[in-house]
Amino acid sequence: MSRVLCVILNWRTPEMTLRAARSALAAMEGIEGAITIVDNDSGDGSFEQMRDAAAAWPRVQVLQSGRNGGFGAGNNFGIRAGLPDGSQPDFTYVLNSDAFPAEDAIKQLLDHLIAHPEAGFAGSYIHGEDGEPHVTAFRFPSIASEFEGAAKTGPISKLLKHAIVAPALPEETTRVGWMAGASVLMRREVLDEIGLFDERFFLYFEETDLCLRATRAGWAMDYVVESRVMHIGSVSTGMRDWARVPDYWFASRRYYFEKNHGRIYAGMATLAHLAGLGIYGLRVILQRKKPHTPPYFARDLMRHSWRSRMSQES
């Protein structure tokens, strides 16, 4: 029987993480494996609280990473630890601490990967507390997508529809470019081949990069609508309350493009984004609408791009 290791990363949300672990325990019924909760050095008593609460739970271990290296580093810590007996699983399931799988959600992903040996990763249909779907199946970012996404203009989006990163969600199980890391089952042999999350990403773009590496190695990425997971979203990151996009988002974006496409491509992607913002800004002025771009976004994008360029040339 295939064994599954479920990894849940905690950052200062112990009650919610334990709730996610309870849901995962129910969804692991009949599946051989274990659940590992990793505390990413919260420093607020989270580790002790979760360790004590989970002490009597079957198949659950709580580990302390010892540092907050971000999403990828924390999950890597749990993946490398393996199953409680020290052995390695056949599949690794990454679950967000604010995501709650339905009772058959993990089984649906596992059955799909077993039935489709060409597929390396399988991701769930994610929905909010209100039942509304979350967009979690994507195409890979490109110069064209940077321009389209920033311009937010109908004729441009129609012309570049093939490049839209977040197209309409598939209504049936299908192949996609990449999936958000809220609920993803990964084949162990794929991780052995391509490596784990790149820990230079602190937060954002790490799952995009991992899926791209798997795709380039010949593995398919499948979005499985039968696997349903309720997700609150942005609890640990505080994204909902951002007054300004943090530097680590810009750093991750820049690193993703440079790593996977080169410095020239990364620079062109930034120019395309700025050009798109210019078109959007003009439309906002002409239509007298309130802009949806985060405050100081264009300025911060230029500043971070320039700073990165200077550090590379020095």
Side-chain angles (χ1 to χ4, degrees), residues 2 28 74-75 80 175 181 207 222 267 272 307:
S2 298
M28 288 281 286
N75 277 292
R80 291 191 182 105
R175 297 272 148 88
E207 66 264 70
D222 287 357
R307 189 168 61 191

Side-chain angles (χ1 to χ4, degrees), residues 1-7 28 31-37 59-63 76-93 188:
M1 180 181 291
S2 298
R3 298 183 301 169
V4 175
L5 171 64
C6 171
V7 178
M28 288 281 286
I31 299 174
E32 188 175 344
I35 297 171
T36 294
I37 300 173
R59 304 198 295 170
V60 178
Q61 62 178 349
V62 181
L63 304 179
N76 285 350
F77 183 88
I79 295 170
R80 291 191 182 105
L83 295 167
D85 64 2
S87 64
Q88 293 299 319
D90 302 293
F91 298 89
T92 296
Y93 176 59
R188 181 71 200 187

Side-chain angles (χ1 to χ4, degrees), residues 71-72 139-142 145-146 165 178-181 197-213 239 242 245-261 269 273 297 301:
F71 180 85
R139 296 188 181 108
F140 291 111
S142 64
S145 74
E146 288 288 295
V165 169
W178 65 279
M179 299 157 291
F197 289 105
D198 185 335
E199 297 184 14
R200 284 193 60 182
F201 296 98
F202 179 76
L203 196 60
Y204 297 103
F205 291 90
E206 60 278 283
E207 66 264 70
T208 319
D209 172 76
L210 188 69
C211 288
L212 181 58
R213 282 189 277 137
M239 184 178 183
W242 281 355
V245 178
D247 279 350
Y248 59 74
W249 185 91
F250 293 103
S252 291
R253 174 193 171 276
R254 180 80 183 183
Y255 177 55
Y256 171 83
F257 278 120
E258 289 187 349
K259 174 186 176 182
N260 292 297
H261 301 290
H273 200 117
F297 182 84
L301 178 60

Side-chain angles (χ1 to χ4, degrees), residues 218-232:
W219 295 95
M221 305 289 106
D222 287 357
Y223 174 71
V224 181
V225 299
E226 293 83 6
S227 173
R228 302 178 68 88
V229 173
M230 195 272 281
H231 184 220
I232 297 176

Side-chain angles (χ1 to χ4, degrees), residues 6-11 17 35-42 47 50 61-67 73-79 81:
C6 171
V7 178
I8 306 173
L9 184 62
N10 176 77
W11 167 249
T17 300
I35 297 171
T36 294
I37 300 173
V38 176
D39 181 61
N40 226 14
D41 197 23
S42 296
F47 171 69
M50 294 186 301
Q61 62 178 349
V62 181
L63 304 179
Q64 173 58 256
S65 70
R67 69 184 183 96
N75 277 292
N76 285 350
F77 183 88
I79 295 170

Side-chain angles (χ1 to χ4, degrees), residues 146 150 249-250 253-254 269-274 277 296-308:
E146 288 288 295
W249 185 91
F250 293 103
R253 174 193 171 276
R254 180 80 183 183
T270 296
L271 290 176
H273 200 117
L274 291 170
L277 288 176
Y296 309 106
F297 182 84
R299 183 190 306 177
D300 289 342
L301 178 60
M302 288 188 290
R303 175 178 57 83
H304 196 280
S305 179
W306 177 258
R307 189 168 61 191
S308 298

Side-chain angles (χ1 to χ4, degrees), residues 68-291:
N68 181 16
F71 180 85
N75 277 292
N76 285 350
F77 183 88
I79 295 170
R80 291 191 182 105
L83 295 167
D85 64 2
S87 64
Q88 293 299 319
D90 302 293
F91 298 89
T92 296
Y93 176 59
V94 172
L95 179 70
N96 270 15
S97 60
D98 56 355
F100 313 99
E103 289 188 357
D104 66 341
I106 301 176
K107 185 177 185 301
Q108 290 286 354
L109 297 178
L110 180 60
D111 288 348
H112 181 87
L113 287 186
I114 291 174
H116 297 84
E118 76 283 2
F121 299 169
S124 302
Y125 169 93
I126 309 293
H127 62 88
E129 293 178 286
D130 56 2
E132 288 298 307
H134 290 185
V135 180
T136 54
F138 306 96
R139 296 188 181 108
F140 291 111
S142 64
I143 291 173
S145 74
E146 288 288 295
F147 180 63
E148 182 280 327
K152 300 182 181 71
T153 303
I156 293 175
S157 294
K158 186 176 181 180
L159 179 66
L160 299 176
K161 61 182 180 180
H162 65 285
I164 295 174
V165 169
L169 273 177
E171 295 182 358
E172 58 185 25
T173 295
T174 189
R175 297 272 148 88
V176 298
W178 65 279
M179 299 157 291
S183 170
V184 177
L185 184 68
M186 303 180 287
R187 198 182 295 274
R188 181 71 200 187
E189 62 188 283
V190 179
L191 298 180
D192 288 342
E193 179 181 353
I194 70 171
L196 305 182
F197 289 105
D198 185 335
E199 297 184 14
R200 284 193 60 182
F201 296 98
F202 179 76
L203 196 60
Y204 297 103
F205 291 90
E206 60 278 283
E207 66 264 70
T208 319
D209 172 76
L210 188 69
C211 288
L212 181 58
R213 282 189 277 137
T215 299
R216 286 176 170 174
W219 295 95
M221 305 289 106
D222 287 357
Y223 174 71
V224 181
V225 299
E226 293 83 6
S227 173
R228 302 178 68 88
V229 173
M230 195 272 281
H231 184 220
I232 297 176
S234 305
V235 175
S236 293
T237 65
M239 184 178 183
R240 290 177 177 175
D241 302 319
W242 281 355
R244 194 167 179 173
V245 178
D247 279 350
Y248 59 74
W249 185 91
F250 293 103
S252 291
R253 174 193 171 276
R254 180 80 183 183
Y255 177 55
Y256 171 83
F257 278 120
E258 289 187 349
K259 174 186 176 182
N260 292 297
H261 301 290
R263 290 176 58 186
I264 294 176
Y265 191 101
M268 292 177 65
T270 296
L271 290 176
H273 200 117
L274 291 170
L277 288 176
I279 292 173
Y280 177 66
L282 180 61
R283 185 163 69 88
V284 166
I285 293 172
L286 293 176
Q287 296 179 351
R288 298 181 180 180
K289 290 185 176 181
K290 183 179 179 180

